[in-house]
């Protein structure tokens, strides 16, 4: 895992806030973009585009969708179960009753959090711009 | 045997014009004989034969948007339409109830193709022939703003109005340049007569002050300074007379007749649309007052021209007057509307 500089982290947070028409201080690290901040699928594309422009990187939007604990549609059932358990401890405010037991691809967008966006950017930035966490 | 058509009335008007972002401000500016035509500021028009425009002055659209995030996918014409629609609803005193029976039909043109957004993607591939379509599809498109398409689609104007006003009835868009706005009012009346909705937001919205529109207008008028474009929106709230009376609404006008026609000769098409509207109204031309087009003051508003001029005339006409607005586009589509104002109270 790599970590962003405080300045880069702030840039990401400002972009997330702008993309979703929220105030910067409304963004709790583990807030769900979809369930808590009202993001729609087009916003995820918009967010990836803005981050690409700001950081000069390429971000496959699927990167963002699976960014929640590295989970994705191709995750094994065991990895999925373990990852979802981790998410549950990290996102106690998230309404897990609303999350399906057998998630579809589109459901993963609901697990994208503010922190997972920060982590995605840290993953795609060159190593000399990030530090080990 | 004929069936009596249910009567359609106007109960609300909303106007965003280069002379003001609401009906009252626009009427005052007209009364003061002001013009809104000046050097344009929205883009760099040097190199074109026309550098004048009638731009809508800056105003705060946020109060008209229930969901602020929608603003990023709402271009200028959609913002003007949402503001004008909200004003029409307030003017009509229509409550939040029954919005599933409120529909939207608006005329507008194709939007801004947003050259800078496209060029951003093309610039990423500067070493490759930009006309290499497979390369464009696989590489360049991914460098284009993902909101690009939904910012320029014409039907997004009606969609934004529907979403922001909560109108869940029929939602439609007409494209046909000048003729589209008045035609939308006629179409909305048909929807009401069919019983598909109880109230309709209808009119037009345009913002042609951008490089794409300038390029197309310049092509139509090679080397010449084409007529000054303007921007704005004019939206009527139309209701079935019975519903309007049942809720005690103030009736601003009755829709007496509507007509549309198409002809290779635009003037002939307009004449026929006017004749149809007058026939339906049971009136002769001499019994009506023609609505002034105002393009010398507010520029050419294309699909919004007819509705804006008709709304301003409705607000200013004498009791009992019959007013007639018509429009024709260069493609030969035309439309006309006849409104009757209520007489003096006895």
């Amino acid at each position: 895992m790599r970590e962003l500089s405080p300045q880069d982290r702030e840039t990401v947070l400002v972009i997330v806030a702008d993309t979703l028409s929220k105030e910067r201080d409304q963004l709790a690290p583990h807030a769900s973009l979809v369930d808590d901040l009202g993001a729609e699928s087009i916003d995820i594309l918009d967010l990836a585009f803005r981050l690409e422009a700001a950081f000069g990187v390429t971000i496959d939007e699927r990167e963002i969708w699976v960014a929640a604990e590295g989970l994705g549609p191709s995750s094994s059932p065991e990895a999925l179960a373990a990852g979802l358990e981790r998410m549950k401890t990290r996102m106690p405010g998230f309404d897990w009753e609303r999350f399906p037991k057998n998630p579809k691809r589109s459901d993963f967008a609901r697990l994208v959090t503010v922190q997972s966006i920060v982590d995605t950017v840290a993953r795609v930035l060159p190593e000399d711009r990030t530090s080990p966490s | 045997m004929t069936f009596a058509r249910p009567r359609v009335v106007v109960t609300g008007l909303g106007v965003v014009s280069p002379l003001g972002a609401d009906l009252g401000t626009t009427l005052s500016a007209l009364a003061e004989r002001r013009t809104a035509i000046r050097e344009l500021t929205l883009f760099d028009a040097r190199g074109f034969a026309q550098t004048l425009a009638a731009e809508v002055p800056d105003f705060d659209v946020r109060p008209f948007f229930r969901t602020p995030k929608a603003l990023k996918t709402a271009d200028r014409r959609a913002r003007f339409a949402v503001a004008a629609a909200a004003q029409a609803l307030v003017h009509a005193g229509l409550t939040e109830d029954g919005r599933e029976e409120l529909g939207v039909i608006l005329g507008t043109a194709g939007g801004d193709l947003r050259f800078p957004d496209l060029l951003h993607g093309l610039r990423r591939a500067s070493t490759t022939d930009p006309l290499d379509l497979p390369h464009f599809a696989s590489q360049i498109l991914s460098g284009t703003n993902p909101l690009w398409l939904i910012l320029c689609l014409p039907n997004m104007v009606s969609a934004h109005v529907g979403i922001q006003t909560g109108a869940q009835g029929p939602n439609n868009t007409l494209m046909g340049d000048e003729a589209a706005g008045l035609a939308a009012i006629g179409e909305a009346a048909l929807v009401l007569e069919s019983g598909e909705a109880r109230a309709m937001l209808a009119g037009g919205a345009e913002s042609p002050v951008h490089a794409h529109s300038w390029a197309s207008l310049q092509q139509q008028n090679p080397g010449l300074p084409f007529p000054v474009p303007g921007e704005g929106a004019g939206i009527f709230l139309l209701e079935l007379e019975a519903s309007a009376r049942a809720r005690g609404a103030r009736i601003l006008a009755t829709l007496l007749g509507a007509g549309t026609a198409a002809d290779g000769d635009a003037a002939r098409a307009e004449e026929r649309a006017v004749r149809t509207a007058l026939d339906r109204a049971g009136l002769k031309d001499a019994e009506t007052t023609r609505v002034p087009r105002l393009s010398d003051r507010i520029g050419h508003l294309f699909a919004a021209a007819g509705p804006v001029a008709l709304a301003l005339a409705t607000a200013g006409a004498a009791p009992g007057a019959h007013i007639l607005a018509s429009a024709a586009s260069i493609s030969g589509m035309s439309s006309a509307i006849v409104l009757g104002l209520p007489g003096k109270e006895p």
Side-chain angles (χ1 to χ4, degrees), chain B residues 108-345:
Chain B
T108 193
D112 182 2
L113 271 187
R114 311 179 79 84
F115 294 153
D117 278 354
L118 288 175
L119 289 173
H120 178 83
L122 288 170
R123 209 176 283 134
R124 278 205 338 178
S126 56
T127 56
T128 313
D129 178 2
L131 297 180
D132 178 345
L133 274 181
H135 183 77
F136 177 86
S138 65
Q139 302 298 318
I140 299 178
L141 208 50
S142 64
T144 301
N145 180 354
L147 304 181
W148 167 72
L149 184 67
I150 56 172
L151 271 160
C152 45
L153 288 174
N155 54 315
M156 286 302 287
V157 180
S158 301
H160 278 294
V161 169
I163 293 165
Q164 301 307 327
T165 63
Q168 294 176 292
N171 190 297
N172 218 334
T173 304
L174 293 187
M175 291 177 71
D177 278 340
E178 277 86 349
L182 293 176
I185 292 172
E187 291 284 322
L190 292 175
V191 172
L192 290 170
E193 289 169 10
S194 78
E196 246 193 289
R198 200 185 283 267
M200 291 292 291
L201 289 160
E206 293 280 19
S207 174
V209 189
H210 51 73
H212 175 222
S213 157
W214 246 242
S216 84
L217 290 165
Q218 192 68 83
Q219 275 215 320
Q220 290 167 35
N221 303 271
L224 298 171
F226 46 84
V228 178
E231 48 178 10
I235 297 187
F236 286 67
L237 184 73
L238 303 175
E239 292 182 74
L240 287 170
E241 185 182 28
S243 311
R245 292 207 184 279
R247 70 177 185 88
R250 179 180 47 150
I251 288 168
L252 305 173
T254 302
L255 187 106
L256 299 175
T260 57
D263 193 303
D265 179 334
R268 211 159 53 201
E270 189 167 358
E271 197 187 307
R272 211 144 48 78
V274 165
R275 206 164 55 230
T276 304
L278 287 170
D279 285 350
R280 293 205 174 133
L283 290 169
K284 294 188 175 61
D285 200 357
E287 295 170 309
T288 63
T289 306
R290 289 274 178 152
V291 167
R293 299 197 177 196
L294 305 172
S295 51
D296 56 330
R297 318 275 297 282
I298 59 174
H300 284 261
L301 301 190
F302 300 94
V308 167
L310 185 59
L312 294 171
T314 304
H322 298 136
I323 56 177
L324 164 66
S326 66
S329 60
I330 53 165
S331 63
M333 175 181 166
S334 70
S335 55
I337 293 289
V338 179
L339 296 182
L341 273 81
K344 285 199 180 79
E345 294 297 327

Side-chain angles (χ1 to χ4, degrees), chain A residues 28-32 35-36 69 83-99 110-111 113 115:
Chain A
H30 297 301
S32 159
D35 286 17
D36 302 321
E69 288 286 332
L84 283 174
E85 282 310 311
R86 283 198 302 278
M87 292 303 291
K88 283 178 186 173
T89 55
R90 287 177 55 178
M91 297 169 66
F94 185 83
D95 184 358
W96 288 100
E97 288 298 310
R98 280 185 296 167
F99 198 76
R110 299 171 54 192
L111 289 177
T113 62
Q115 183 60 42

